[in-house]
Amino acid sequence: MDKEETDEEETEEEMVEIFVMGSRYRVPEGLTILTALEYAGYKFTRGCGCRGGFCGACATVYRTEDEYKLKMDLACQTAVEDGMFLVQLPFMPAVREDYDIEEVDPEEHENILLDYYTEVARCVSCNTCTKACPQDIEVMDYVQSALRGDIERTAELSFDCIHCGLCSMRCPADIKHYHMAQMARRIYAKYEQPDSEELALRVEELEEGKYDEKMEELVKMEKEKLKKMYDERDIKEEG
Amino acid sequence: MSEGYPDYMRESIKKVEKTRPERIDKTPERMDPDEADEVLNNFHPDYRPEGKKEIQIGPSEGRKAPNEVNELLEAHSLIDPSDIDLSQIDHDVDILIIGGGGAGTVAALSAVEEGIKPEDILIATKLRHGDSNSMMAQGGMQVADREDDSPVKHYLDAIGGGHFTNAPELVKALTKDAPKILKWHEELGMMYDREEDGNFVELPGGGTSRYRLHSAGDYTGMELMRVLRDEARNLDIPVLEFTPAVELLKDSKGQIAGAVLMNLETNEYYVVRAKSTIMATGGFGRLHIQSYPTTNHYGATADGLVMGYRAGVPIRDLDSVQYHPTGAAHPDQIVGLLVTEKVRSLGAQPVNADGELFVNPLEPRDIEAAALIRECYGNGNGVKTPTGMKGVWLDSPLIEEKKGEGTIEESLPAMVRLYERFGIDMTEEPILVFPTLHYQNGGLVINPDGSTPVKGLFAGGEVEGGVHGKNRLMGNSLLDYNVFGRRAGINAASHAKKASLGDLTLDHVSKYEQQLDEAGIETDRKAPMLLPEYRGEKVLERHLDVKVTL
Ligand SMILES: Cc1cc2nc3c(=O)[nH]c(=O)nc-3n(C[C@H](O)[C@H](O)[C@H](O)COP(=O)(O)OP(=O)(O)OC[C@H]3O[C@@H](n4cnc5c(N)ncnc54)[C@H](O)[C@@H]3O)c2cc1C
Ligand code: FES
């Protein structure tokens, strides 16, 4: 088929041409890659999760007609462009290391992240991971932080990671960035962030049954009285 | 100005900027009960009688549900019981968990804590483990842990927000378990926002009387879900992905005894026998009730509701649906996606096309949503988008003025990213919003221990009802999936330890077919839906139902 064969009805909407794993489709401009594929007739089982940029299921690699570079992004968060050649990556077979969260106190190890993900030491600082990240995370920087044993920085820099796996797909050193960073965040939160005293106190109070009586009173309270109490409750507007 | 808005919308933005200085310290009073009733009655989609009807068959016959739910309840099973060979059992487990979102994963972890071996558990989920509404939550989770707060205050807020229709014992469980849940999260290593001293950063939410919302940036749901999933992986809990349940199984004693699953890629079915089964399939946003766009993930299609109902579990409060006041209304690519309530918690105000502030930013959700609809369609003060939709402004730059420059980037990275991708800088310009379908308030009836009235079946999370009555407050459903996912897991474990099963049967499915017939319901609809249909109409019109065989 060539471009001349356009459908009459299509002229109302602005259409663009995309290639899905090589096959050509005409789709309305203004759709996302995800909705464009659906418009073209694909029904997703894989490659579509949240539809809102939070799950990383829709990682997509594409190239535009006059570009030689491969680009990477989320299909649900990227508008289609004319001349896109697309392929979806619905699965990433990256290795993930099991660990016991109770046994990974960073104080007791020289570099706990490196113990579990030794390939982090193979990072050649090529920055390909950072370029691949659809969330614009400084991926290479957090890998380097991990290498230095800076768990806090690894955790913070990687926080917005949605586990799409594109970084690991591109990495020449086969680092499993997102799995390593997941471990870093948990270690940081558990061992390096201080615990909340307020919370500990409240848990203790509850164990002592402090609110039991008052709670039972409310549970049994007839609706009108409860309603009055609700309408008259003091609301803290500023804090 | 960025490329994200056409000129005529920018004219309205100028008005918003003009009124900003005089609005900055103003907060309209919350509505009195009469005014709230009026705006709900006239403008909330739930109060349109033509949107719902009485359920015609099954254990909750006579109760009302949205038309879209009724269509699924008045539908045939996906399977013909005579096609299923129940003598060949593919998985024989103590606990089957249907749904690998928040509730399902919490249930699995809790069952292991109760002494069930990971290999005796099976999580069957429709998409990937974690692809769920839980992953998408942004704002936060309510826990009353501060000194000026208490579980009792939390109880009052939740039950008042639900218009006193909630099941009191469930609200008690929700609010009393909350601190314990947060403590567990702390131990698991979830990265909540904290003050220097380790106490939590807390914000108010719609309808809360205290600062009680715990968050992790605006990726709260993702942080919780990915840690839970990580822990489930550490424990090697078996998960079948892309393998939804299509029907529950019963045994000759009338107990729930597992489910029939289907591999979404090969269409092969699997028989799972389980001593306890936990329904954790989440909500129904993808039914697009009253044609609203939705914030929900791709698999939110009410499957658990349908399967549970066919197996005899009554449902409650389904006649009320939660529309989130602020869904994105522009640009078209993101219509319906969530603009988290946290944007308002941090100080953004909803204002109309003329830049006027017309409602307290933090009313309970149903009231806030109705007020936005009234402003657009009652008062005619909305802004029309290029595609013909209407919305009001959410004045986000106000946050920077109130809380200091950089607050938005720091507290709302997901929101900033969402808009940036489509050429809008929400730190400098307001964003356009309109209510969007968000949450299934009601659902399967449960007891406080997470069991359903049908023996052997448990439920937790958005699929169940009663916790929130007819209106859920923000931050109470992440809590719900934790509290009731945990209770379901614990009690499913103790049930499994003593349960003995009879012969497997699908008789309840045949009986349901009979009931459809007797009620004179003629249809070729089938349910559960599993996945919504978004393929282009033109393609579907020319779609040939041909099996290509080798
Ligand atoms: C955008 C968004 C923002 C939110 N923000 C907040 C917030 O700030 N605070 C708050 O408290 N709440 C929030 N919520 C609500 C909250 O996230 C959900 O109500 C809650 O996470 C539901 O958890 P769940 O485990 O019950 O369901 P889900 O997390 O949706 O999990 C259900 C799982 O079951 C799977 N499934 C469905 N059908 C089948 C089947 N037939 N067989 C097998 N598996 C199946 C689904 O694919 C999914 O993985 C938000 C929701 C959304 C959508
Ligand atoms: S579908 Fe979840 S990120 Fe695109």
Side-chain angles (χ1 to χ4, degrees):
Chain A
M1 281 207 290
D2 61 29
K3 270 191 178 173
E4 266 61 58
E5 275 191 46
T6 32
D7 204 328
E8 284 298 330
E9 307 157 44
E10 287 183 359
T11 42
E12 265 196 34
E13 281 172 293
E14 288 291 327
M15 305 297 277
V16 296
E17 191 173 66
I18 59 170
F19 298 84
V20 184
M21 288 181 283
S23 305
R24 193 184 79 128
Y25 295 94
R26 292 179 63 76
V27 298
E29 190 181 28
L31 298 181
T32 61
I33 295 174
L34 190 86
T35 50
L37 285 169
E38 288 175 332
Y39 176 90
Y42 286 78
K43 178 148 184 163
F44 288 106
T45 46
R46 287 178 188 263
C48 173
C50 66
R51 304 178 73 97
F54 287 89
C55 78
C58 65
T60 298
V61 179
Y62 68 93
R63 176 173 78 70
T64 42
E65 223 156 7
D66 40 10
E67 277 258 10
Y68 66 93
K69 269 192 184 160
L70 288 181
K71 295 185 185 165
M72 269 140 272
D73 220 323
L74 301 174
C76 72
Q77 297 292 298
T78 310
V80 276
E81 284 170 45
D82 201 36
M84 264 183 173
F85 291 80
L86 300 160
V87 67
Q88 279 210 299
L89 295 178
F91 181 69
M92 252 303 292
V95 178
R96 177 191 165 281
E97 304 297 337
D98 282 346
Y99 58 98
D100 180 346
I101 187 68
E102 297 300 332
E103 304 289 332
V104 286
D105 187 342
E107 294 281 304
E108 290 165 18
H109 298 76
E110 193 161 322
N111 186 333
I112 182 83
L113 295 174
L114 215 49
D115 287 355
Y116 280 80
Y117 290 94
T118 46
E119 66 280 8
V120 165
R122 295 172 49 200
C123 174
V124 294
S125 306
C126 69
N127 211 28
T128 314
C129 49
T130 304
K131 285 191 206 135
C133 181
Q135 294 285 86
D136 296 329
I137 292 171
E138 296 295 337
V139 186
M140 187 191 82
D141 289 0
Y142 84 60
V143 169
Q144 288 295 324
S145 308
L147 200 53
R148 288 195 307 273
D150 187 343
I151 296 176
E152 176 172 357
R153 199 167 151 75
T154 308
E156 269 161 9
L157 283 179
S158 70
F159 189 79
D160 294 359
C161 170
I162 58 173
H163 291 220
C164 68
L166 283 168
C167 48
S168 304
M169 204 64 143
R170 295 287 276 171
C171 179
D174 283 313
I175 295 172
K176 321 300 178 292
H177 316 68
Y178 59 109
H179 287 321
M180 184 275 289
Q182 173 66 72
M183 185 176 175
R185 286 190 300 273
R186 286 188 66 187
I187 293 178
Y188 170 65
K190 185 176 171 71
Y191 294 99
E192 298 191 352
Q193 277 190 322
D195 286 352
S196 161
E197 283 175 22
E198 274 174 342
L199 175 63
L201 213 64
R202 181 57 37 85
V203 170
E204 220 172 276
E205 283 176 0
L206 276 162
E207 272 161 12
E208 288 160 4
K210 179 166 174 194
Y211 300 98
D212 291 359
E213 211 176 302
K214 188 84 196 158
M215 192 68 103
E216 283 316 313
E217 199 184 302
L218 288 197
V219 166
K220 296 208 180 79
M221 196 175 280
E222 47 144 325
K223 190 174 150 189
E224 281 316 304
K225 204 168 153 201
L226 194 63
K227 201 163 180 290
K228 190 157 173 279
M229 218 175 136
Y230 175 75
D231 289 337
E232 289 170 1
R233 80 203 194 288
D234 76 301
I235 298 177
K236 192 167 168 182
E237 296 276 7
E238 299 293 331
Chain B
M1 281 253 183
S2 59
E3 61 202 84
Y5 293 115
D7 286 344
Y8 80 90
M9 286 173 90
R10 287 186 190 172
E11 289 304 311
S12 174
I13 291 180
K14 280 193 193 132
K15 295 183 190 163
V16 174
E17 286 168 347
K18 209 165 146 217
T19 59
R20 194 173 290 147
E22 52 196 75
R23 280 184 280 114
I24 186 157
D25 294 317
K26 287 209 184 111
T27 310
E29 295 250 320
R30 294 200 191 183
M31 287 183 206
D32 64 43
D34 291 340
E35 196 190 347
D37 275 350
E38 195 199 312
V39 64
L40 285 174
N41 275 319
N42 290 323
F43 293 98
H44 197 280
D46 264 358
Y47 293 70
R48 290 182 58 228
E50 61 276 29
K52 43 194 149 179
K53 67 179 191 110
E54 281 180 11
I55 301 170
Q56 292 191 54
I57 56 169
S60 300
E61 190 183 326
R63 280 190 181 249
K64 284 199 171 161
N67 298 340
E68 293 78 1
V69 172
N70 259 306
E71 281 177 13
L72 295 181
L73 297 180
E74 294 175 12
H76 301 288
S77 175
L78 290 173
I79 55 174
D80 178 344
S82 64
D83 289 343
I84 310 287
D85 177 4
L86 295 176
S87 69
Q88 196 197 322
I89 292 165
D90 301 286
H91 302 270
D92 203 356
V93 293
D94 282 348
I95 304 181
L96 169 66
I97 298 170
I98 305 175
T105 312
V106 169
L109 298 178
S110 308
V112 173
E113 272 178 39
E114 284 305 293
I116 303 288
K117 291 203 208 84
E119 62 266 31
D120 294 328
I121 298 174
L122 179 65
I123 300 180
T125 197
K126 186 156 60 182
L127 302 164
R128 301 174 311 167
H129 189 189
D131 290 348
S132 60
N133 284 1
S134 298
M135 193 62 104
M136 307 181 76
Q138 302 178 16
M141 183 171 87
Q142 284 196 42
V143 177
D145 63 334
R146 284 199 175 166
E147 203 187 339
D148 70 353
D149 199 2
S150 80
V152 177
K153 290 197 166 71
H154 189 177
Y155 179 98
L156 197 58
D157 286 346
I159 207 156
H163 309 301
F164 308 93
T165 54
N166 327 38
E169 289 292 339
L170 298 183
V171 187
K172 178 174 111 183
L174 182 83
T175 54
K176 273 184 77 176
D177 280 8
K180 240 186 317 194
I181 291 289
L182 189 59
K183 189 78 198 148
W184 180 54
H185 288 180
E186 193 171 67
E187 283 158 12
L188 283 173
M190 290 183 189
M191 229 170 113
Y192 282 97
D193 297 340
R194 292 181 190 251
E195 311 283 0
E196 292 270 300
D197 62 3
N199 287 326
F200 297 95
V201 175
E202 302 188 27
L203 288 170
T208 68
S209 61
R210 286 292 180 277
Y211 282 52
R212 183 188 296 141
L213 202 66
H214 297 65
S215 41
D218 55 354
Y219 283 115
T220 311
M222 179 166 98
E223 172 59 5
L224 270 55
M225 186 68 238
R226 65 191 177 186
V227 169
L228 294 168
R229 180 179 60 191
D230 193 60
E231 188 60 12
R233 286 176 177 166
N234 278 342
L235 298 177
D236 286 325
I237 295 169
V239 181
L240 282 180
E241 298 186 326
F242 301 101
T243 309
V246 293
E247 212 65 84
L248 286 168
L249 281 169
K250 283 192 160 181
D251 75 353
S252 41
K253 305 176 192 170
Q255 316 177 79
I256 302 295
V260 179
L261 313 179
M262 188 183 84
N263 182 322
L264 271 185
E265 282 163 328
T266 62
N267 280 26
E268 183 184 2
Y269 75 83
Y270 308 119
V271 174
V272 184
R273 181 166 68 185
K275 290 178 184 150
S276 298
T277 301
I278 301 175
M279 195 59 91
T281 47
F284 67 11
R286 291 282 153 194
L287 304 188
H288 296 290
I289 313 282
Q290 299 202 28
S291 302
Y292 267 74
T294 183
T295 60
N296 285 195
H297 87 289
Y298 188 42
T301 50
D303 301 354
L305 215 58
V306 173
M307 291 184 276
Y309 193 69
R310 275 192 194 135
V313 185
I315 51 189
R316 57 170 295 168
D317 299 321
L318 269 184
D319 54 334
S320 100
V321 175
Q322 183 162 89
Y323 297 85
H324 194 289
T326 58
H330 175 84
D332 200 37
Q333 290 96 341
I334 60 169
V335 164
L337 290 187
L338 183 66
V339 173
T340 172
E341 185 163 320
K342 197 173 168 190
V343 180
R344 281 173 290 136
S345 299
L346 285 166
Q349 297 170 337
V351 294
N352 64 24
D354 294 321
E356 293 158 349
L357 175 60
F358 58 88
V359 64
N360 180 301
L362 290 175
E363 293 280 6
R365 288 206 168 145
D366 49 354
I367 299 174
E368 189 82 17
L372 262 63
I373 298 172
R374 176 175 66 183
E375 198 61 18
C376 291
Y377 292 95
N379 302 340
N381 293 330
V383 179
K384 208 166 183 178
T385 71
T387 55
M389 201 179 152
K390 279 186 187 174
V392 297
W393 296 112
L394 190 55
D395 193 10
S396 45
L398 205 56
I399 298 175
E400 303 276 287
E401 298 206 7
K402 283 188 182 169
K403 304 242 154 147
E405 224 167 282
T407 308
I408 297 182
E409 287 265 356
E410 196 187 307
S411 309
L412 301 163
M415 294 300 335
V416 172
R417 193 172 273 126
L418 178 71
Y419 279 96
E420 220 169 49
R421 278 185 166 124
F422 298 99
I424 292 169
D425 179 356
M426 70 178 284
T427 65
E428 304 225 323
E429 296 155 310
I431 52 184
L432 201 72
V433 296
F434 192 75
T436 177
L437 175 57
H438 190 50
Y439 187 76
Q440 174 185 308
N441 288 317
L444 300 176
V445 167
I446 57 162
N447 302 307
D449 68 358
S451 62
T452 70
V454 181
K455 205 167 171 190
L457 186 67
F458 300 78
E462 199 167 334
V463 71
E464 34 83 357
V467 181
H468 314 287
K470 299 208 189 284
N471 181 49
R472 168 186 72 99
L473 296 189
M474 132 166 252
N476 271 350
S477 55
L478 286 178
L479 183 58
D480 176 346
Y481 91 56
N482 277 284
V483 167
F484 292 97
R486 178 171 161 276
R487 285 174 171 243
I490 291 172
N491 291 297
S494 55
H495 178 78
K497 286 177 197 160
K498 50 183 202 285
S500 75
L501 296 177
D503 296 334
L504 297 182
T505 156
L506 280 164
D507 277 356
H508 64 286
V509 176
S510 314
K511 279 201 194 115
Y512 198 85
E513 290 289 338
Q514 222 174 333
Q515 286 181 336
L516 283 173
D517 201 36
E518 282 161 18
I521 297 166
E522 277 177 41
T523 173
D524 46 19
R525 279 188 309 267
K526 288 187 173 182
M529 182 187 277
L530 303 183
L531 293 174
E533 182 57 79
Y534 294 132
R535 283 176 290 182
E537 271 168 37
K538 273 192 209 150
V539 177
L540 288 178
E541 273 166 20
R542 306 179 66 120
H543 184 258
L544 297 177
D545 199 9
V546 177
K547 278 204 186 85
V548 183
T549 46
L550 291 173

